[in-house]
Amino acid sequence: MDISAFVLFWAAIFTSNILLTNFLGMCSYLSVSREVESSFGLGVAVIFVLTVTAGLNWLVYHLILVPYNIVYLQYIVFIIVIAAFVQFLELVIERYAPALYYTLGIFLPLITVNCAIFGVSLFLVIRNYSFLQSISFGAGSGIGWLLAILMLAAIRRKLKEKLVPQGLQGVGISLIITGIMALAFVGFSGIVQIQ
Amino acid sequence: MTKKQIFITSAFTENSVWRQILGICSALAVTNLMMNSLIMGLGVTFSLALSGFTISLIRNWTPRSVRMMVQTLIIAAYVIIVDIFLKANMPDISKQLGPYVGLIITNCILMGRAEAFASQNTPLDSMIDGIGAGVGYSLVLLLIGFIRELFGFGSIFGIKVLGAWWTPWSIMVMAPSAFFILAMLIWIINIKYYKSKG
């Protein structure tokens, strides 16, 4: 794939937003978006973990799995890399930045099971990205995810004082808002194609 | 609970998608065609049933501290089987599903059932619970897939049912419709739920 890493970065944020067009990371998106502050915290953690694990998994895939011909183990290996990195990050933050740990720490376990992280690792293998492309795709996807969850959280804060039909409260109305946001993002889709 | 009750509970009354809002990543992503929905549903049911069975089998020997990791690895092993099977026998569908087959591993339904049911019940019960949850999940996928494929392509399982007069709604093939349809489904189910509660 010869698409510049810079283009890929913007494409991952807007034209193929990880959440609004690829539906990845929905679980934590719906459950954490009650508050803007925690959404922001989780989003920042996702950007960081996504960027680093995209690079790590690219290295693991091309330097270990392909040479030893064990590509079929990629799922297990990717999951282990992600879980190990998150665990490591938790230890480091707790030791060296306790203040950050109290704001970000509670989100880290959630990230291991966030399908956006794992999904990006799978995308970069399927689409055959280079190392640089992988990192910029990971960073872009993370920023796109932060954008989506921040928008939903902000809208939900406004919705608190509004009357919502009983059956739609909670997840129902969140999904409809997400649908409208996704409609808006469809407007970007003609600019560049990355899949 | 009898075996039948376990099945009914996990497939319908406590359906993972509309009651617990779990595992909707793939429920939204693969439902633009009914065939994809069916294959995805079968893959998830297979992984759920067998991972439930295996996790339950070794539940008494699994230390609590590494429980999550063990469960994830067991689930991943079965998902790899599904992936290899699809690649070998249905390369087209495997290509269309793309990363979403691998993403069954992080599908919250699997971890949810493993934690909530398989780690406390006998292997056979866990397997039935897994099949039930899988069937419930597949039904939701097929329902969303039915609406999207019918309006988006005018077909069901790739067979044209609406004639040439039908103008396909391209919105149904795109991402936003999936959100709207799932929201509507949840709305309808919730209305029924509140009515039955009085």
Side-chain angles (χ1 to χ4, degrees):
Chain A
M1 257 211 144
D2 49 324
I3 185 166
S4 92
F6 184 69
V7 172
L8 205 54
F9 175 75
W10 292 103
I13 301 178
F14 294 108
T15 62
S16 26
N17 187 290
I18 190 88
L19 193 127
L20 297 171
T21 55
N22 289 320
F23 311 104
L24 295 176
M26 287 294 294
C27 294
S28 35
Y29 168 80
L30 289 175
S31 54
V32 178
S33 61
R34 277 189 201 98
E35 279 165 43
V36 178
E37 288 74 23
S38 42
S39 305
F40 186 75
L42 181 64
V44 170
V46 164
I47 295 175
F48 184 67
V49 174
L50 206 45
T51 314
V52 177
T53 55
L56 278 179
N57 278 339
W58 189 92
L59 289 175
V60 167
Y61 185 82
H62 288 276
L63 299 182
I64 299 174
L65 296 187
V66 174
Y68 290 94
N69 207 11
I70 44 171
V71 174
Y72 58 89
L73 282 181
Q74 54 168 303
Y75 296 162
I76 288 187
V77 173
F78 286 176
I79 283 280
I80 293 175
V81 168
I82 293 169
F85 177 71
V86 171
Q87 197 83 58
F88 170 75
L89 193 66
E90 207 176 340
L91 289 177
V92 170
I93 292 181
E94 194 180 7
R95 174 76 180 77
Y96 293 104
L100 189 65
Y101 182 74
Y102 286 114
T103 52
L104 217 65
I106 44 167
F107 299 118
L108 286 173
L110 264 179
I111 285 184
T112 321
V113 291
N114 187 328
C115 34
I117 314 280
F118 187 50
V120 163
S121 294
L122 295 181
F123 270 127
L124 61 91
V125 166
I126 288 176
R127 295 183 186 161
N128 221 349
Y129 287 152
S130 70
F131 182 67
L132 199 62
Q133 281 174 326
S134 302
I135 289 187
S136 61
F137 181 67
S141 299
I143 294 173
W145 197 86
L146 170 74
L147 202 63
I149 195 173
L150 266 186
M151 289 196 292
L152 179 67
I155 296 174
R156 280 181 78 171
R157 183 148 80 180
K158 293 269 175 204
L159 272 181
K160 267 182 199 151
E161 303 112 44
K162 303 283 184 292
L163 279 174
V164 177
Q166 195 186 23
L168 264 184
Q169 275 164 16
V171 177
I173 194 74
S174 302
L175 280 173
I176 289 185
I177 295 168
T178 312
I180 296 171
M181 291 185 337
L183 261 183
F185 272 68
V186 167
F188 293 117
S189 63
I191 302 172
V192 62
Q193 279 292 340
I194 60 164
Q195 27 213 353
Chain B
M1 275 203 293
T2 65
K3 305 260 184 289
K4 198 177 154 201
Q5 276 173 326
I6 293 173
F7 180 83
I8 300 282
T9 310
S10 69
F12 301 105
T13 40
E14 281 307 315
N15 183 294
S16 313
V17 180
W18 66 61
R19 294 282 338 136
Q20 304 170 22
I21 323 294
L22 290 178
I24 58 177
C25 301
S26 49
L28 295 166
V30 302
T31 49
N32 54 352
L33 290 172
M34 280 191 85
M35 200 59 194
N36 292 356
S37 318
L38 181 69
I39 301 295
M40 189 68 187
L42 288 178
V44 169
T45 310
F46 172 86
S47 323
L48 262 171
L50 289 179
S51 65
F53 181 81
T54 318
I55 288 165
S56 166
L57 208 59
I58 58 165
R59 69 184 187 280
N60 295 331
W61 295 283
T62 320
R64 280 198 73 78
S65 49
V66 294
R67 179 175 94 259
M68 298 280 253
M69 208 61 222
V70 171
Q71 289 169 354
T72 312
L73 290 182
I74 291 172
I75 292 169
Y78 287 113
V79 173
I80 288 175
I81 296 176
V82 173
D83 185 46
I84 291 175
F85 178 85
L86 285 182
K87 274 198 182 118
N89 294 304
M90 306 171 187
D92 289 343
I93 291 184
S94 165
K95 222 183 177 115
Q96 280 181 30
L97 292 179
Y100 295 101
V101 180
L103 282 166
I104 297 177
I105 300 174
T106 49
N107 190 323
C108 328
I109 296 179
L110 280 103
M111 279 307 264
R113 292 330 293 171
E115 269 299 286
F117 201 94
S119 57
Q120 286 138 31
N121 289 284
T122 60
L124 202 59
D125 281 359
S126 307
M127 193 163 164
I128 290 168
D129 174 74
I131 296 174
V135 168
Y137 176 79
S138 310
L139 287 178
V140 178
L141 251 66
L142 282 173
L143 184 60
I144 303 176
F146 174 75
I147 301 172
R148 289 182 74 186
E149 189 177 342
L150 185 67
F151 291 118
F153 296 97
S155 57
I156 292 172
F157 281 113
I159 302 161
K160 277 255 176 267
V161 286
L162 298 174
W165 53 271
W166 176 257
T167 316
W169 302 3
S170 48
I171 182 83
M172 281 294 176
V173 186
M174 293 189 293
S177 71
F179 290 113
F180 290 132
I181 294 171
L182 186 64
M184 293 301 157
L185 273 182
I186 290 173
W187 194 2
I188 295 168
I189 302 275
N190 275 351
I191 290 173
K192 286 233 149 57
Y193 178 74
Y194 286 124
K195 273 217 177 105
S196 69
K197 273 181 87 182

